[in-house]
Amino acid sequence: MYNNRIYAGMIDKGAEFFSVKSRLYCVHNFKIHTWPDLPPKVLEWVENDMLNQPDALWSLSSWENLMREDWTYRYILCRFGGLDDKPDFTDKGEVNHTEYVECELRGTCKYEGKLCCSIKVINGILTKSEIEVLKIVKQPDKIIASELNISPDTVSTHLQNIRIKTGLKNKAELSIFAYQKGLIKS
């Protein structure tokens, strides 16, 4: 188990992708698979999802120097490469686009938000700034403001927006949510 937790695919036939140092793994059907040796059923799920994401397909087609054989790898890495509390694909192949992937290209990638996923929640999508606040949400507001070089009022606004979007009530609930989404590491 990664981080002593049980993830989709370890105890069911769902699939959870994650990467460690740009190496892509998939937990499925009680086994850990390494790219490119993924189960055909999982690859079929990914390819079906790709067909439903025109912005992502456009991004892959426009990415300079990205080889054809790397399209599916890059798609999975950008959209599903983070380890979180929900399976990327259920055992029926239904996709969950709810995770944030910490990427070395974040902030500089011209395909950000088109190829990768932001965190979708019940009342919208969290912005990049809101995600940055969530990463250090356990800290007092003044420290968050100092670390992010924003005003305490801006921190307060971001926290209010995050609570509205997630339906969560306080910083303790937001912290638990941030842990679940892999934004805070233990």
Side-chain angles (χ1 to χ4, degrees), residues 8 19-20 32 60 84-86 116 135 139 155-156 159 174 176 180 183 185:
S19 66
V20 178
I32 297 179
L60 290 167
D84 66 357
D85 64 323
K86 289 188 178 178
C116 63
K135 288 180 181 179
Q139 301 293 328
V155 171
S156 179
L159 288 171
L174 292 176
I176 292 168
Q180 289 176 329
L183 298 173
K185 309 293 183 205

Side-chain angles (χ1 to χ4, degrees), residues 53 56 75-81 97 99 101 114-117:
Q53 306 301 329
Y75 182 83
I76 295 169
L77 192 64
C78 291
R79 293 185 83 79
F80 305 109
H97 287 288
E99 73 190 23
V101 177
K114 295 176 180 76
L115 182 55
C116 63
C117 287

Side-chain angles (χ1 to χ4, degrees), residues 3-36:
N3 289 338
N4 295 324
R5 288 178 61 185
I6 295 173
Y7 295 94
M10 295 173 121
I11 58 171
D12 61 20
K13 294 187 187 241
E16 175 68 20
F17 293 99
F18 65 97
S19 66
V20 178
K21 297 182 181 173
S22 294
R23 188 158 176 114
L24 185 61
Y25 299 91
C26 174
V27 183
H28 171 68
N29 203 17
F30 314 98
K31 295 178 186 157
I32 297 179
H33 306 272
T34 307
W35 178 266

Side-chain angles (χ1 to χ4, degrees), residues 31-132:
K31 295 178 186 157
I32 297 179
H33 306 272
T34 307
W35 178 266
D37 301 317
L38 302 184
K41 179 182 248 4
V42 173
L43 283 172
E44 181 183 329
W45 292 342
V46 170
E47 290 166 4
N48 286 336
D49 183 56
M50 289 173 78
L51 294 173
N52 292 316
Q53 306 301 329
D55 285 345
L57 292 176
W58 176 86
S59 297
L60 290 167
S61 73
S62 302
W63 196 309
E64 300 87 14
N65 301 318
L66 187 64
M67 306 289 280
R68 179 184 58 81
E69 56 271 15
D70 294 329
W71 290 341
T72 303
Y73 167 82
R74 178 51 60 187
Y75 182 83
I76 295 169
L77 192 64
C78 291
R79 293 185 83 79
F80 305 109
L83 195 57
D84 66 357
D85 64 323
K86 289 188 178 178
D88 295 322
F89 291 89
T90 68
D91 60 348
K92 293 177 176 45
E94 298 160 338
V95 67
N96 284 311
H97 287 288
T98 58
E99 73 190 23
Y100 175 81
V101 177
E102 191 64 59
C103 176
E104 68 274 1
L105 301 176
R106 196 163 291 284
T108 62
C109 180
K110 64 182 176 180
Y111 306 112
E112 188 169 340
K114 295 176 180 76
L115 182 55
C116 63
C117 287
S118 296
I119 298 177
K120 294 179 185 175
V121 290
I122 59 172
N123 295 316
I125 297 174
L126 298 179
T127 67
K128 182 179 175 184
S129 298
E130 292 165 349
I131 290 169
E132 292 305 312

